[in-house]
Amino acid sequence: MAHTSTYRTRIAGTGSYLPEKILTNVELEKLVDTSDAWIRERTGIASRHMAADGEFTSDLAFHASMRALEMAERTPADIDMILLATVSPDQIMPNTACVLQAKLGAPECMALDISAACSGFVYGLAIADQFIRTGPLKNILVVGAEVLHRIVNYKDRDTCILFGDAAGAAVVTRAEEGQDSTIYSHHLHADGKISDLFVLPGGGSVHPISQYVLDNNLQYVRMKGREIFKNAVRTMSQACQEALEYNQMSADQVDWVIPHQANIRIIEAVAKHFGIPMEKVVVEIEDTGNTSAATVPVTLDRAVRDGRIQRGQNVLLTAFGAGITSGSLLMRF
Ligand code: UT7
């Protein structure tokens, strides 16, 4: 939530990075019993990117971060904190934010990963906002980065058609006098009662890596797609409504909505529930697929760079993910 505070927070720059290699629906037809037509119609996805061998989550994060820093006219030396949202870290330990810190050559600032699945970037922006508003920090790097293809089973058509690899980043800064952009509010939620809808069971303390894990494919994500679909529409619609009510705004006053890019049909249903035309909803799923924590920053960056999103416009971010986590963040860009 927001906001009584000393300072205002703004996004000074955005960046994104998609690995070169592309996996098309047609190629997936050779791996599982599916079709290009089914995937396009049921999800809106035509292709997704895949990290190369030897390319890790921290590498994708590095490229996206450098682009965001460049737009923000900052260097790694300016960074006061790194927040990296991911469900596909380089390793369980150390956190990938520390790996990124070293790759960037950033100062010895606080650096941590956020585990909130596809909501992770919105969670990260909210945490950054709190530190900027109240504290001495001026420049926080928030990143969503995923190499999902390494935790997806390419024999499971329920999941493998959806996911891709990508990273997106934002440099979140203290607004100076004369800069009127600001984060108005954030509303974040989690409902652990339905955490079984989307899981990666292996590799933690419940199922440490063992032959049993490998024999049962517990090292891969698994989900109840239809249930997630319903909850995604419900939670994102509610979080958007909450943002409007809190700020006493109407849907007409929102210039752009950037929803988590999980499925075009989920996005369309949220727009309908929320009462906003699809022309105001940024959709970038066709060539990326669902890149979990990266979808919101990648979509934001694309819309900023191609001029759709302009300074001074009201932009509403919304996401949901495993947990089930969800939330919204409303800002004047
Ligand atoms: O970031 C959060 C991550 N997760 C999600 O966002 C998942 C949200 N859920 C979804 O996006 C959708 O539920 C899916 C895309 C996963 C599935 O679409 P659906 O419209 O909910 O399909 P369904 O599960 O109701 O299945 C419909 C039919 C079934 O066949 P029958 O029983 O009607 O004969 C499935 O067996 O489609 C079949 N099917 C497929 N056919 C071709 C399921 N997956 C596939 C597939 N290719 N990949």
Side-chain angles (χ1 to χ4, degrees):
M1 299 264 291
H3 285 117
T4 41
S5 54
T6 315
Y7 304 110
R8 278 181 299 108
T9 310
R10 77 193 288 260
I11 291 184
T14 60
S16 58
Y17 173 79
L18 288 122
E20 217 170 290
K21 188 174 163 195
I22 291 168
L23 178 68
T24 64
N25 292 349
V26 174
E27 287 168 287
L28 280 171
E29 286 175 353
K30 292 174 205 144
L31 302 175
V32 286
D33 180 16
T34 192
S35 69
D36 177 38
W38 191 95
I39 303 172
R40 281 176 193 267
E41 193 190 310
R42 309 299 282 185
T43 71
I45 300 166
S47 61
R48 67 288 291 143
H49 290 248
M50 283 173 95
D53 292 345
E55 197 174 29
F56 310 126
T57 300
S58 58
D59 297 315
L60 276 54
F62 172 82
H63 294 302
S65 299
M66 289 305 289
R67 289 172 187 177
L69 286 164
E70 190 185 2
M71 188 192 287
E73 297 177 352
R74 303 288 196 283
T75 70
D78 297 317
I79 298 171
D80 298 319
M81 182 193 287
I82 300 174
L83 299 169
L84 189 147
T86 188
V87 292
S88 50
D90 283 15
Q91 302 171 101
I92 287 184
M93 194 176 77
N95 73 42
T96 304
C98 286
V99 181
L100 174 64
Q101 177 192 38
K103 285 186 177 173
L104 288 168
E108 290 179 16
C109 59
M110 172 175 156
L112 77 152
D113 288 3
I114 297 172
S115 178
C118 311
S119 310
F121 181 78
V122 177
Y123 268 52
L125 284 185
I127 296 167
D129 179 43
Q130 293 298 133
F131 273 93
I132 299 266
R133 279 175 183 274
T134 56
L137 304 190
K138 284 191 176 163
N139 298 297
I140 300 181
L141 178 64
V142 184
V143 187
E146 305 282 9
V147 176
L148 296 178
H149 91 261
R150 297 200 182 115
I151 55 170
V152 163
N153 182 357
Y154 285 91
K155 290 183 178 147
D156 173 17
R157 71 174 184 176
D158 290 347
T159 51
C160 75
I161 56 149
L162 294 174
F163 299 105
D165 303 340
V171 177
V172 179
T173 64
R174 182 191 292 178
E176 305 292 340
E177 245 173 78
Q179 293 175 328
D180 73 346
S181 44
T182 188
I183 292 179
Y184 293 121
S185 66
H186 25 80
H187 292 85
L188 305 177
H189 299 279
D191 182 1
K193 293 189 295 303
I194 47 174
S195 58
D196 63 325
L197 295 185
F198 190 22
V199 295
L200 193 165
S205 65
V206 176
H207 295 293
I209 294 165
S210 65
Q211 195 56 48
Y212 174 83
V213 166
L214 301 177
D215 290 345
N216 291 281
N217 286 323
L218 301 186
Q219 71 276 33
Y220 297 126
V221 293
R222 51 183 65 185
M223 65 175 194
K224 297 178 183 161
R226 257 181 266 183
E227 284 303 304
I228 296 176
F229 193 112
K230 279 187 269 177
N231 281 288
V233 176
R234 179 180 61 80
T235 55
M236 287 201 286
S237 304
Q238 280 172 358
C240 288
Q241 206 51 51
E242 235 179 331
L244 289 190
E245 281 165 21
Y246 182 83
N247 293 289
Q248 299 183 316
M249 284 170 70
S250 66
D252 299 351
Q253 290 171 280
V254 174
D255 295 296
W256 296 103
V257 179
I258 300 193
H260 171 46
Q261 313 277 306
N263 183 321
I264 185 66
R265 292 185 298 131
I266 293 175
I267 294 171
E268 285 167 354
V270 170
K272 196 170 158 201
H273 271 73
F274 185 50
I276 197 148
M278 278 303 286
E279 298 76 63
K280 287 185 167 189
V281 181
V282 187
V283 179
E284 293 290 325
I285 195 172
E286 190 179 1
D287 69 315
T288 62
N290 179 348
T291 59
S292 191
T295 76
V296 171
V298 167
T299 306
L300 174 67
D301 182 54
R302 285 181 165 189
V304 166
R305 282 179 193 265
D306 69 17
R308 274 175 286 179
I309 293 179
Q310 297 285 326
R311 286 284 175 200
Q313 290 186 324
N314 291 328
V315 179
L316 178 59
L317 313 182
T318 186
F320 81 98
I324 294 291
T325 58
S326 60
S328 66
L329 182 143
L330 185 59
M331 64 179 158
R332 182 166 59 230
F333 186 71

